[in-house]
Amino acid sequence: MLNPIKSHGTLPFMKTLIIQPPLVQLNTPYPSGAYLSAFFRNLGFDTQWVDFSNGLFHELFCSKGLEKLFTLSQEEALSKAFKAEKKGKDEEAFQLRRYISNKDLWIRWIDPIVDIVCGRENQRELCHEFVQSPFIPRGMRMEQFLGSLERDVCVDDAQLLASLALADIGDYITSVFDSNFALIRYAEHLACSTSSFDSVLENLKAPVLVHFFKPLLEKFFSNYLERRSSEEKILVCISIPFPGSFVGGLFAASFVRSVLGSSAIISIGGGYINTELREIQEKRVFDFVDYISYDRGYGSCLHLLSNLESHGALYKTAFLDKKGCICPPLEDIEQIDIYIKKEDEYTRSIVPDFSDIDFSLYPRLADDVNPMHRLWSDGAWLKAYLAHGCYWHRCAFCDTTLDYVCQYRMTDIKNLHKGLLEQGKKTGVYGVHFVDEASPPVALEQFALANSELPPTEKRLTFWGNIRFEKTFTRDLADLLSFAGLTGVSGGIEIATGEGLTSVNKGTDMEHLVAACAAFKEAGILVHGYMIYGFWEETPQILIDSMETLRQLFQGGLLDSAFWHKFVLTRHSTVFAEWEKGLHPQLKPILPKVKPFAENDLRFEGEEKSEKYGPSLQVALDAW
């Protein structure tokens, strides 16, 4: 494979460090690090990938971590309990005081609890005591589960009870120590559509980051610095896939700069960056990082590494120039043509590399009895894509103007299957979660054939992922996929009426949607549907009709689970692009007078009217 760096200049003598900041997902590493690791190693760089999301979990959820937590928080917990009691909130006061009175039990049992959810050996015997003994710490979630049982608790309940124990401790942390904390996607509410960067800066002082993430960074870099030459240049790539990882990403960037100084070249990228910061005007972000890389990252990194000294505009990269002005990504196609082509080549050929990951450290959470929901959390999956982008990329509500949707590029499926099998042998993990926007039927079929052709003596892969409910998924194809290891699919139904599917340009109809669901279910494949409410043109009757169709899908056994999302209007969606051209006069976006820091999500007139439906929709789902 042609290396543009070598052909367009001297290869920089650099190491690459890939950082996943906290907290993203507990049970498995986010795939961006695996793809970037494979990419940089292909270029010949000494590369290390560190999942600080998993690291922070273990820094906090251990005996020493909880000892520190209770020391720092018990005064606040008791004060809050006293105030709650004065307001007549006796249950809240009781729960807070119980955490403090049982703190020694929590400290003693947290390591066994983590061992149970991580599936470590020699913990089965402990499980008996954990589920039966009256001297085990209990939280509200644990008690609700035990109270809901119509049978005696048994040792097989240990994983679920341990998962709920972690959630109970998480509730305590959120209540009295750090309101931004969540077991998944720390500070998720902060950065999405944030009007000012000031609130992001303020939350860099968050207790979990200061008291737990910082010591974790200190321990890692004390070892890292011992292994490097003082004159080495290091390219540090920080992946920020979600709003909740932005604050942690900047915290990590600040720490890296403090310990590595000018020898570190720091770049951030990822889903949040791609959607919210494409036209960034906030210069203070560059106090933390040198570059902002958009979209897949392969082309932008190649161009950056080939032009480190030129200070000219770069492909899909923003930075501060010598005058202190933000230099936007390069638009001259002729200059960057080779990088565009190489990016597509890497997209097709790269197989994610998980060799830096110890999957035994990842908890398999049994936080839901729904078998489809469990696929997300109960398993340390190898995450990969069959294709970059969406082969349909026309849905009205989707960010169809962005690379991750509109630039459809399928991978070399046989090469991907072979590579994931090799990753399985190295890591011991043979489960694959395809993270495609919508897995192409032809790619799924090719992957299934490759998997089914393995000899019976060879361990094969099991897999699941997102699809479109369309006519291509016949019963024959569903049977093949099931035989070859497909266990579940999730897909967007959005508005479950014929008129509704047409209005959002889903590219399918109710007949084919129902047929696809039936094909999967009859083949023994779990099915999850995504629903959306609160569209700009939605009426109560449209929502009622959609609910009724969904009810019938459940009644007919065609769905295992579903989830209602509230519609969010985005700048990069098809409907907004059409509105700018004069279409959809009934849609009335509320454009901010001052350019916000995070700019993708938009408000529109009347959107608040649908907020009242959320709780009822959830109640209906629970009933169905």
Side-chain angles (χ1 to χ4, degrees):
M1 181 179 288
L2 173 66
N3 186 336
I5 296 177
K6 292 180 179 178
S7 60
H8 283 71
T10 303
L11 181 68
F13 290 97
M14 298 175 63
K15 289 187 174 183
T16 51
L17 178 63
I18 302 164
I19 290 177
Q20 180 62 68
L23 274 162
V24 176
Q25 188 170 1
L26 285 185
N27 63 303
T28 202
Y30 199 74
S32 56
Y35 277 98
L36 288 174
S37 294
F39 169 69
F40 284 117
R41 285 169 181 150
N42 181 275
L43 294 177
F45 285 90
D46 182 357
T47 300
Q48 184 176 1
W49 170 25
V50 186
D51 185 0
F52 284 117
S53 187
N54 180 259
L56 180 60
F57 168 77
H58 287 284
E59 184 77 10
L60 183 50
F61 289 89
C62 65
S63 58
K64 289 184 178 179
L66 288 197
E67 187 175 32
K68 179 194 287 190
L69 172 68
F70 283 118
T71 299
L72 292 170
S73 65
Q74 68 176 9
E75 185 175 331
E76 173 64 19
L78 293 174
S79 172
K80 193 167 184 178
F82 177 73
K83 293 176 183 177
E85 195 170 47
K86 288 187 69 175
K87 295 178 181 179
K89 299 178 180 179
D90 293 340
E91 178 62 23
E92 180 182 340
F94 167 75
Q95 295 294 343
L96 288 170
R97 289 194 176 108
R98 182 166 65 163
Y99 279 114
I100 301 305
S101 63
N102 287 342
K103 66 178 183 179
D104 288 344
L105 288 176
W106 281 111
I107 292 168
R108 175 176 295 163
W109 272 94
I110 189 62
D111 290 335
I113 287 170
V114 170
D115 287 343
I116 291 169
V117 294
C118 288
R120 292 176 182 155
E121 295 181 2
N122 302 321
Q123 292 303 312
R124 189 64 174 176
E125 294 75 19
L126 261 177
C127 291
H128 292 275
E129 181 183 1
F130 178 65
V131 300
Q132 296 286 354
S133 174
F135 302 105
I136 301 299
R138 295 280 189 253
M140 186 169 61
R141 293 176 189 253
M142 300 170 75
E143 285 192 333
Q144 286 175 345
F145 165 70
L146 293 171
S148 69
L149 290 177
E150 297 181 355
R151 55 170 175 78
D152 290 337
V153 66
C154 69
V155 68
D156 294 332
D157 296 315
Q159 187 187 12
L160 179 53
L161 203 58
S163 300
L164 295 173
L166 294 178
D168 277 323
I169 288 293
D171 290 342
Y172 173 81
I173 295 170
T174 305
S175 176
V176 303
F177 186 64
D178 188 337
S179 61
N180 293 324
F181 182 81
L183 283 173
I184 297 176
R185 300 183 188 178
Y186 177 86
E188 181 72 2
H189 65 284
L190 287 178
C192 193
S193 295
T194 300
S195 59
S196 170
F197 189 58
D198 293 334
S199 60
V200 177
L201 293 177
E202 181 64 26
N203 279 282
L204 290 171
K205 305 171 187 176
V208 164
L209 299 180
V210 172
H211 294 288
F212 291 93
F213 188 32
K214 185 178 179 181
L216 179 64
L217 289 168
E218 289 171 343
K219 283 187 286 187
F220 172 79
F221 278 98
S222 65
N223 294 325
Y224 188 81
L225 292 172
E226 292 177 359
R227 303 193 305 269
R228 66 175 284 269
S229 166
S230 59
E231 298 180 358
E232 278 183 315
K233 285 283 187 180
I234 301 173
L235 175 60
V236 181
C237 297
I238 302 177
S239 175
I240 302 177
F242 304 111
S245 49
F246 185 57
V247 173
L250 290 189
F251 191 95
S254 177
F255 188 90
V256 169
R257 179 67 73 218
S258 70
V259 296
L260 296 181
S262 60
S263 66
I265 298 170
I266 304 174
S267 175
I268 57 172
Y272 172 76
I273 305 300
N274 296 334
T275 55
E276 297 290 346
L277 305 184
R278 294 198 76 86
E279 298 177 3
I280 187 169
Q281 296 181 3
E282 178 55 77
K283 294 181 182 180
R284 288 178 293 176
V285 174
F286 295 98
D287 293 338
F288 297 84
V289 305
D290 300 297
Y291 299 97
I292 298 177
S293 176
Y294 298 106
D295 302 326
R296 282 166 278 178
Y298 305 141
S300 57
C301 285
L302 288 172
H303 199 201
L304 167 64
L305 293 170
S306 299
N307 295 272
L308 278 174
E309 306 301 327
S310 69
H311 305 292
L314 296 167
Y315 174 55
K316 291 196 173 182
T317 303
F319 61 96
L320 280 187
D321 62 20
K322 289 184 175 181
K323 297 180 181 179
C325 299
I326 296 177
C327 183
L330 184 65
E331 300 291 341
D332 188 338
I333 297 297
E334 290 186 4
Q335 288 190 47
I336 58 178
D337 183 61
I338 185 174
Y339 300 103
I340 295 173
K341 291 179 179 177
K342 293 309 298 178
E343 186 159 65
D344 286 343
E345 284 185 34
Y346 277 110
T347 301
R348 176 174 171 77
S349 63
I350 285 285
V351 175
D353 184 352
F354 292 89
S355 58
D356 282 330
I357 299 299
D358 181 355
F359 281 94
S360 69
L361 296 175
Y362 288 79
R364 281 75 162 169
L365 300 180
D367 53 357
D368 199 305
V369 296
N370 183 300
M372 186 66 205
H373 290 176
R374 288 282 287 275
L375 279 175
W376 272 275
S377 57
D378 192 0
W381 305 95
L382 302 173
K383 290 182 179 282
Y385 56 76
L386 292 162
H388 175 82
C390 177
Y391 64 95
W392 175 246
H393 58 261
R394 295 180 183 88
C395 293
F397 52 84
C398 191
D399 289 330
T400 50
T401 61
L402 295 183
D403 179 274
Y404 83 96
V405 175
C406 68
Q407 292 298 315
Y408 176 65
R409 301 288 186 273
M410 204 165 95
T411 63
D412 182 331
I413 301 300
K414 288 187 177 180
N415 179 63
L416 177 65
H417 180 264
K418 179 182 177 182
L420 290 175
L421 269 179
E422 292 173 354
Q423 292 295 310
K425 293 173 183 177
K426 291 178 182 178
T427 63
V429 175
Y430 285 81
V432 177
H433 174 200
F434 288 123
V435 295
D436 301 62
E437 291 301 303
S439 299
V442 64
L444 279 171
E445 182 177 10
Q446 291 177 16
F447 191 89
L449 288 171
N451 213 33
S452 61
E453 289 168 358
L454 292 172
T457 55
E458 185 171 348
K459 197 168 184 177
R460 69 174 191 174
L461 300 167
T462 182
F463 56 101
W464 67 286
N466 207 46
I467 53 95
R468 296 182 69 250
F469 293 116
E470 53 150 283
K471 62 183 179 182
T472 310
F473 287 110
T474 63
R475 177 63 192 278
D476 285 345
L477 179 54
D479 280 339
L480 168 64
L481 296 174
S482 178
F483 172 76
L486 179 67
T487 55
V489 294
S490 57
I493 297 175
E494 325 312 355
I495 304 175
T497 68
E499 184 180 349
L501 293 172
T502 300
S503 69
V504 295
N505 199 25
K506 280 298 293 182
T508 189
D509 54 30
M510 285 305 303
E511 178 183 355
H512 291 118
L513 186 152
V514 170
C517 289
F520 285 124
K521 285 302 297 174
E522 290 168 0
I525 296 168
L526 296 167
V527 179
H528 175 86
Y530 294 111
M531 308 295 294
I532 296 184
Y533 71 100
F535 278 97
W536 66 93
E537 57 186 5
E538 184 178 76
T539 65
Q541 189 59 53
I542 290 174
L543 182 56
I544 290 170
D545 292 344
S546 184
M547 288 178 68
E548 171 58 18
T549 304
L550 186 65
R551 184 194 67 80
Q552 293 181 31
L553 289 172
F554 275 109
Q555 186 180 45
L558 301 180
L559 282 179
D560 292 284
S561 61
F563 187 82
W564 286 96
H565 295 265
K566 192 174 185 303
F567 169 72
V568 176
L569 177 66
T570 66
R571 288 183 183 273
H572 300 109
S573 64
T574 295
V575 66
F576 185 71
E578 291 174 344
W579 175 81
E580 288 184 309
K581 296 175 182 178
L583 302 177
H584 308 296
Q586 71 276 36
L587 175 63
K588 294 178 171 52
I590 303 172
L591 301 179
K593 295 179 181 179
V594 178
K595 187 178 176 66
F597 171 67
E599 61 174 1
N600 193 37
D601 293 2
L602 296 170
R603 306 299 301 269
F604 63 94
E605 292 183 14
E607 68 173 306
E608 70 283 352
K609 295 178 182 179
S610 63
E611 292 177 357
K612 60 186 177 184
Y613 299 129
S616 298
L617 292 172
Q618 185 57 51
V619 169
L621 269 186
D622 292 341
W624 298 335

